[in-house]
């Protein structure tokens, strides 16, 4: 976990993130790594002042294939997304050459984690139907409200 922080408000002020709380690394108690994707690593953490569990996504800005504009774009979308079908965005901060996004911690985790939990058994159809429905509603929100498509879909 990082030790020195520049609040994201100063760097990304054009995104109008001021409606989100300023989260500083000293307010977080980091737990274990819970995921890894193409663009970063995800840790579980707890926000000490509120006791809120969070997923902290670390995005190294200088990683091959990632540029600062892409990070700004993701922050912009997250800061504008107010939908029950999009994860909540609590805030962000910079440390060294990484941006740390503070996001809603999903109680079940990712779809791949759910699949691993099934241990080779198929996910029941009603569960898949509910997940699919919610993903579609989230994508519809992005398309109609923000005029954009999820980068994994477009």
């Amino acid at each position: 976990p990082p030790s020195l922080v520049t609040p994201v408000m100063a760097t990304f002020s054009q995104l109008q993130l001021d409606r989100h709380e300023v989260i500083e690394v000293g307010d977080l108690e980091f737990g274990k790594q819970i995921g890894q994707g193409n663009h970063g690593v995800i840790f579980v953490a707890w926000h000490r002042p509120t006791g809120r569990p969070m997923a902290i996504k670390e995005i190294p800005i200088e990683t091959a294939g990632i540029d600062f504009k892409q990070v700004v774009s993701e922050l912009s979308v997250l800061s504008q997304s107010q939908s029950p079908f999009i994860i909540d965005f609590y805030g962000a901060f910079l440390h060294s050459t990484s941006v740390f996004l503070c996001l809603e911690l999903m109680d079940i985790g990712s779809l791949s984690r759910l699949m691993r939990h099934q241990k080779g058994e198929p996910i029941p159809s009603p569960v898949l139907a509910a997940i699919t429905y919610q993903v579609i509603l989230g994508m519809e929100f992005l398309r109609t409200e923000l005029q954009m498509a999820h980068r994994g879909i477009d």
Side-chain angles (χ1 to χ4, degrees):
S3 58
L4 299 173
V5 174
T6 302
V8 76
M9 302 308 178
T11 306
F12 296 109
S13 59
Q14 73 273 22
L15 297 178
Q16 300 176 344
L17 297 178
D18 56 338
R19 64 188 170 87
H20 300 285
E21 57 194 278
V22 175
I23 297 174
E24 297 188 15
V25 73
D27 293 338
L28 297 173
E29 180 180 329
F30 281 80
K32 66 180 182 172
Q33 180 179 326
I34 58 172
Q36 183 166 355
N38 293 335
H39 302 297
V41 179
I42 303 169
F43 299 91
V44 66
W46 290 266
H47 187 239
R48 288 184 182 112
T50 63
R52 179 185 299 151
M54 297 182 180
I56 307 296
K57 181 177 181 181
E58 178 183 4
I59 304 172
I61 296 171
E62 297 187 12
T63 299
I66 293 287
D67 66 20
F68 200 66
K69 288 181 186 176
Q70 197 171 359
V71 174
V72 170
S73 176
E74 184 168 349
L75 281 170
S76 178
V77 169
L78 284 169
S79 71
Q80 297 173 54
S81 297
Q82 300 294 309
S83 167
F85 306 106
I86 307 288
I87 60 170
D88 286 338
F89 172 64
Y90 300 132
F93 59 86
L94 294 174
H95 171 70
S96 187
T97 59
S98 294
V99 174
F100 291 80
L101 308 181
C102 303
L103 307 166
E104 176 182 7
L105 180 65
M106 303 305 297
D107 50 359
I108 293 180
S110 66
L111 184 57
S112 62
R113 181 173 178 227
L114 178 60
M115 290 170 60
R116 282 192 308 273
H117 180 72
Q118 291 295 112
K119 298 181 182 174
E121 294 293 318
I123 298 172
S125 294
V127 173
L128 284 177
I131 291 169
T132 302
Y133 179 68
Q134 292 182 31
V135 167
I136 290 169
L137 290 175
M139 290 175 12
E140 179 68 9
F141 169 83
L142 292 173
R143 186 182 67 76
T144 60
E145 300 298 321
L146 302 179
Q147 291 74 48
M148 57 105 36
H150 189 284
R151 71 174 173 246
I153 304 300
D154 54 347

